[in-house]
Amino acid sequence: SMVILYSILNKAPNPIGEIRGDIPADLERVINHCLKKNPDARYQSVSDLRSDLQKLRQALSSGEARPYTSTTRLLQQVLRPFHRPWIAIPAAIFLFLLVLVLPFRHTWTSLIGVGSKEPAEKGLAVLPFNVIGGTEEDQRFCAGLYETLNSKLTQIKKGDVGFWLVPSVEVINEDIQSATQAQEVFNVDLVIAPIIDYSPEGVNVTLNLIDARLSRQLDSRNLNYESLNRLALGDNIIGEAAALLNLEVSPLDRVKLSAAVSESAEASVFYTQGIGYLQLYRDVDSLDNAVTLLTKAAQEDPEFALARAKLGETFWRKWDASKEPGDLAQARTWCKAAVELDPDLAAAHVTVGILNRDTGDYTGAIEEFGKALELEPANPDAHRELGVAYQMMDDLELAEKHFMMAIDANRAFWGGYNHLGSFYYYIGREADAEQMFIRVTELAPDNYHGHNSLGAILLAMGNEGPAEITFQKSLSLKPNSYAYANLATLYFGQRRFGVASEFYEKALDLKKTDHRIWGNLGDSRRLTRRYTQGVTEEEVNKAYEMAIGLARRDLSNNPQGTRTRAYLVFYLAVTGDESHALDEIAQVRKVGTKDVTALRLCVRAYEIMGMRDRALEMLAIYFGANGPLDDIENNPDLQDMKNDTRYNELIKAQQK
C-alpha cells in the first residue's frame, strides 16, 4: 500500500497509448491534464473539460486530431479585425534562457531504445529537489544546489553527441514537478528527479533517471549520510548525477563538478543558500534574504567575484520590481566589483549589459554583451540580449543575426525560436513570425507560451478562428494575462467592445503593471461608450490615467524607450492633453524610429488631435517602414481620414 501511495503522489501513470493504441494524441493530453499531481494544474471546472472535449470531437469528426498542424490548415481567411491594439507576445518575459550544448561520450541507445544510430541532440531536464523535512536553511541550500547542479552539468563537454539542458529558471517558472510535465512543456527525452529526505537519523538522497517519453525509470542512485556536511552533500549529488548520465569524469572535470564555488567553505554555503532565495525573485522578502546571504558570502571571501555578480543580479531584480534608484545603484556597484575582481566572468558582463540596456544606454549594453561573447562565444544569453539591444537601436540586421545565433546555440529548444518570432512580428514580417511560432509549438506542444504567440500572429494576419482556438488552448494549459489580453483584442476587432473590456480586466487581474493592457482597456471602454453609452466617462479616463502613469514610470527608467513614448503620446492625445502629447511626439520624431507600432500610434494621435497634415506626413513614414495597410484601413480612429484625397493618393502609391 505504501508503494501504491508513493506512486500516486510522485510517479506519472503509464501512457494510455500502452493500454489502447488507437487513442488520439489530443485525447491523451486531455486525460493527462486531468491527472496532474498538482490540483491547481488540472482543469478548474467541468465546463473547461467539456469545452476541450467538444473541440476534440469536432476535430475528430472533421478528420483533424488537432486545431492546427501546418501553415496551410491555419490560413483559413476570415474578416480582418478593423483595429489592432497591442497584441501580447510574451518573448520578453523569458529571463536568462541559459541553453548550452552538453555533448556526451556515451550514446543512449541502451537506455531509450531508439535504435543503433544516435540522434544529434536530446533534451534533458533536472527537476527541482524534492526536499522532505529539514530546516529553512536546508530547503534554500537545496534550491541553490539545484541551480549549481544545472550549471555544473553544462560545463562537461565530451564526445560528438549533443545534449541540451533546460535552463533551471524555466523549470522553476513553469512549476515543473514531474517527468510528465517536463516532457509536455519542454519536449525533453530524459529527466533527473532528485529527492532529499532529512530525518533524525541523517540524510537520504535518491536520484532517479527517467525516460520522459515512456514514463519509465531507467536508473537511480542512492546516498546516505549520518551527519550533514553541506558541501560534501553537494559534491556527491553532482558527481552521482554525472554518473547517471554515463559521463566519464576526468580529474579536471571533478574540479569543475565541485559544489564549492569559493575557497571558503562558509562562503560557498552562504552563496548556495543565497541563490536558492534568488530563485524566488518575485517575492520581495526572498530577494532581501538573498541579499543578506550573498553579502555574507562576499564578506567571508573578499575575492569571491561570483557572489558579487549574483548580488548585482539580485539588486537588478529588486529594481526591476520596484524601480527604486537605490536598488539600481547597488546593482551597478556590485557588478562593477565583480568585474574588477574577475574581468573574465561572462555572467557579470551580461548583467551589466542588461542594466545598461534597460536604462537606455544601448551603446554601453552592446559593449558589455560583446565582452561576454568574447569570453563565451556560444553564450545564448549574451546573443539574445544583444539582439534586443540592437532591435532597440533599430539595427535590425544585427538584431536578427544575434537572435539566430542564440537559436544556433541550441536548435532543439523552443525559447530561441519564440524570441526570433517576436522580433519578426515587431518588424512586420508576419509570415516569418508565424513559421517561428509553429516551430515553437512543434518543439513544445503543451507549453502555453508557444500557443499564445502563435495565436497572436494568426490574429495579426486576420485568421480569427484559428487564433481564438489557439488562445483557448493556451488558457487551458495555464491561465495567463497574455492570452486573456489577446482574446480581448480579438473581440475588440469584432466590435464586441463590452466583452473585450471583460477580458482585458481578466488580464489585469493577473498583471496590473502593463500600460498597454490598461491602454487597450481604455480603448474598448471608450468605444463602448461611443456606441452603447454602457460605460461612464470616469471609467474610460481611469483606464487611460493608469496607462499614462505606468508609461511615464517606464520612461523614467528608460528615456530611450521609443515605443513606450509613442504609447504615451497616444494616451495623452486621446485624453485631450495635446500640449504634452506634442512634446512627446517631437521626441519620437527626433529619434526617427522604424518601429511600425510606434509610427502607427503617432498617426492616430495626430488624427485624434485634428492635425491631419501631420498625420498624413507620419503615415507616409509608416508606409516607408513597411507598416501593414490593413492596420490603417480598419482603424476606428482613422475612418474620417479616408475622405481625404491625399490619403487615397498615399494608399494608391502603397498598393503599387
Side-chain angles (χ1 to χ4, degrees):
S1 61
M2 291 302 295
V3 172
I4 293 173
L5 288 172
Y6 178 85
S7 297
I8 291 172
L9 291 172
N10 296 282
K11 292 186 178 181
N14 291 334
I16 293 172
E18 293 181 0
I19 302 170
R20 178 169 170 175
D22 61 345
I23 292 291
D26 287 334
L27 177 56
E28 184 170 354
R29 269 196 290 276
V30 169
I31 295 172
N32 287 340
H33 197 62
C34 296
L35 296 175
K36 297 284 189 182
K37 301 295 184 187
N38 183 354
D40 292 337
R42 302 174 200 150
Y43 289 101
Q44 297 303 295
S45 69
V46 175
S47 62
D48 290 342
L49 171 60
R50 180 180 60 190
S51 175
D52 270 9
L53 290 173
Q54 288 173 336
K55 291 174 184 175
L56 175 59
R57 182 168 60 184
Q58 292 170 0
L60 290 171
S61 64
S62 65
E64 296 184 356
R66 297 183 183 185
Y68 56 85
T69 57
S70 68
T71 306
T72 303
R73 287 167 61 182
L74 286 169
L75 295 181
Q76 178 182 1
Q77 294 297 324
V78 295
L79 290 176
R80 187 179 181 84
F82 67 85
H83 168 57
R84 175 166 60 175
W86 167 66
I87 297 177
I89 298 179
I93 67 171
F94 295 107
L95 300 175
F96 296 96
L97 284 179
L98 181 57
V99 186
L100 302 177
V101 176
L102 180 59
F104 290 79
R105 178 166 295 174
H106 297 288
T107 66
W108 289 97
T109 304
S110 61
L111 294 182
I112 60 176
V114 294
S116 60
K117 186 175 180 181
E118 180 63 19
E121 291 184 322
K122 296 194 181 301
L124 169 68
V126 180
L127 300 185
F129 287 68
N130 180 8
V131 184
I132 302 171
T135 64
E136 173 67 16
E137 288 183 350
D138 294 327
Q139 297 273 342
R140 286 302 97 204
F141 178 83
C142 291
L145 183 59
Y146 167 65
E147 182 173 320
T148 301
L149 171 59
N150 276 262
S151 176
K152 297 293 184 180
L153 288 177
T154 63
Q155 296 177 32
I156 301 178
K157 299 187 177 182
K158 294 179 178 294
D160 300 320
V161 180
F163 263 64
W164 58 272
L165 182 67
V166 178
S168 58
V169 69
E170 289 299 310
V171 177
I172 293 168
N173 286 344
E174 296 298 327
D175 192 24
I176 303 299
Q177 300 294 330
S178 70
T180 300
Q181 284 181 299
Q183 201 284 321
E184 289 177 351
V185 175
F186 299 116
N187 199 28
V188 294
D189 304 279
L190 299 166
V191 166
I192 293 178
I195 303 171
I196 301 184
D197 186 356
Y198 289 89
S199 70
E201 292 75 28
V203 183
N204 299 309
V205 179
T206 303
L207 299 178
N208 295 317
L209 179 66
I210 300 169
D211 181 334
R213 298 195 182 280
L214 298 179
S215 297
R216 183 179 64 189
Q217 183 166 310
L218 302 173
D219 199 357
S220 68
R221 294 286 190 278
N222 293 289
L223 302 168
N224 297 291
Y225 303 89
E226 292 183 359
S227 59
L228 178 62
N229 180 320
R230 288 194 174 102
L231 285 183
L233 174 68
D235 282 347
N236 291 334
I237 287 175
I238 295 170
E240 290 300 321
L244 271 180
L245 298 172
N246 284 346
L247 290 172
E248 292 183 2
V249 182
S250 69
L252 178 60
D253 291 331
R254 292 190 184 279
V255 174
K256 290 182 180 179
L257 288 175
S258 172
V261 284
S262 164
E263 293 183 1
S264 164
E266 288 188 342
S268 292
V269 171
F270 285 139
Y271 171 85
T272 304
Q273 291 173 331
I275 61 174
Y277 278 109
L278 180 55
Q279 288 180 355
L280 306 174
Y281 60 85
R282 292 187 178 90
D283 178 71
V284 175
D285 291 338
S286 293
L287 287 175
D288 289 339
N289 287 331
V291 168
T292 299
L293 288 161
L294 291 169
T295 301
K296 287 182 178 180
Q299 291 170 345
E300 288 288 337
D301 182 355
E303 303 298 316
F304 197 176
L306 189 56
R308 287 158 174 79
K310 284 294 182 181
L311 271 167
E313 180 186 334
T314 304
F315 277 108
W316 167 65
R317 294 280 191 187
K318 287 170 66 71
W319 172 78
D320 192 49
S322 68
K323 305 304 180 186
E324 290 291 335
D327 291 333
L328 179 60
Q330 286 273 42
R332 291 193 184 282
T333 298
W334 284 110
C335 285
K336 180 180 178 182
V339 172
E340 288 175 350
L341 282 171
D342 186 357
D344 295 336
L345 192 60
H349 289 291
V350 171
T351 303
V352 175
I354 292 172
L355 286 170
N356 289 340
R357 189 198 63 208
D358 289 355
T359 53
D361 181 7
Y362 301 136
T363 302
I366 289 170
E367 180 181 348
E368 291 296 331
F369 294 138
K371 289 178 181 177
L373 289 171
E374 287 176 6
L375 297 165
E376 298 179 7
N379 186 317
D381 285 343
H383 280 300
R384 183 189 66 254
E385 302 295 354
L386 184 53
V388 174
Y390 278 125
Q391 180 180 346
M392 290 179 169
M393 293 182 70
D394 279 334
D395 193 333
L396 305 184
E397 183 177 348
L398 282 176
E400 182 179 16
K401 171 187 173 182
H402 284 282
F403 284 129
M404 286 182 166
M405 292 179 78
I407 289 176
D408 287 339
N410 182 1
R411 303 196 69 84
F413 187 60
W414 56 267
Y417 298 94
N418 202 67
H419 278 90
L420 183 58
S422 300
F423 169 73
Y424 284 147
Y425 166 75
Y426 284 126
I427 64 174
R429 291 169 57 179
E430 294 175 340
D432 290 332
E434 181 194 18
Q435 292 303 313
M436 291 298 104
F437 294 141
I438 288 175
R439 183 63 178 147
V440 172
T441 60
E442 290 171 348
L443 289 171
D446 292 301
N447 188 304
Y448 74 94
H449 294 299
H451 292 286
N452 188 57
S453 295
L454 179 59
I457 202 64
L458 291 172
L459 178 57
M461 297 174 73
N463 301 307
E464 293 183 11
E468 184 171 11
I469 291 172
T470 310
F471 293 141
Q472 293 289 2
K473 173 70 173 178
S474 175
L475 288 171
S476 73
L477 293 167
K478 183 177 181 179
N480 62 93
S481 63
Y482 301 100
Y484 279 127
N486 284 340
L487 275 170
T489 296
L490 187 152
Y491 298 139
F492 188 106
Q494 296 172 344
R495 295 179 178 265
R496 298 163 64 186
F497 302 125
V499 177
S501 295
E502 292 176 9
F503 274 79
Y504 283 132
E505 288 165 359
K506 287 183 177 182
L508 288 168
D509 285 340
L510 296 173
K511 187 175 184 180
K512 296 183 182 297
T513 58
D514 194 318
H515 68 83
R516 297 166 297 183
I517 303 178
W518 282 106
N520 285 353
L521 177 60
D523 285 349
S524 60
R525 286 178 175 177
R526 172 167 60 98
L527 292 169
T528 299
R529 178 171 172 77
R530 178 189 297 179
Y531 293 113
T532 68
Q533 298 296 314
V535 176
T536 66
E537 185 175 358
E538 181 181 1
E539 289 174 310
V540 175
N541 290 336
K542 178 183 176 182
Y544 284 128
E545 286 169 4
M546 289 295 298
I548 289 170
L550 290 168
R552 281 183 166 150
R553 183 205 65 178
D554 291 349
L555 276 174
S556 69
N557 293 304
N558 181 8
Q560 306 303 316
T562 302
R563 178 176 291 194
T564 302
R565 194 176 300 280
Y567 273 111
L568 179 59
V569 167
F570 175 75
Y571 304 149
L572 293 170
V574 80
T575 54
D577 191 350
E578 294 185 5
S579 175
H580 286 106
L582 292 173
D583 289 342
E584 298 294 346
I585 206 169
Q587 295 292 323
V588 175
R589 301 195 67 165
K590 182 179 179 181
V591 172
T593 182
K594 299 176 185 177
D595 186 326
V596 295
T597 299
L599 293 170
R600 183 171 60 248
L601 287 163
C602 292
V603 173
R604 293 172 64 197
Y606 275 135
E607 180 68 9
I608 286 171
M609 291 186 292
M611 300 177 181
R612 176 69 54 79
D613 292 347
R614 294 188 183 183
L616 292 169
E617 180 185 348
M618 187 62 73
L619 182 61
I621 299 172
Y622 170 83
F623 285 143
N626 297 317
L629 173 60
D630 283 359
D631 288 343
I632 299 297
E633 283 276 278
N634 299 318
N635 195 294
D637 292 325
L638 303 178
Q639 295 306 297
D640 290 344
M641 188 185 285
K642 292 182 178 181
N643 299 321
D644 194 307
T645 56
R646 295 170 296 173
Y647 172 84
N648 292 307
E649 289 172 0
L650 274 173
I651 298 302
K652 289 178 182 177
Q654 175 69 7
Q655 291 172 337
K656 289 180 180 180

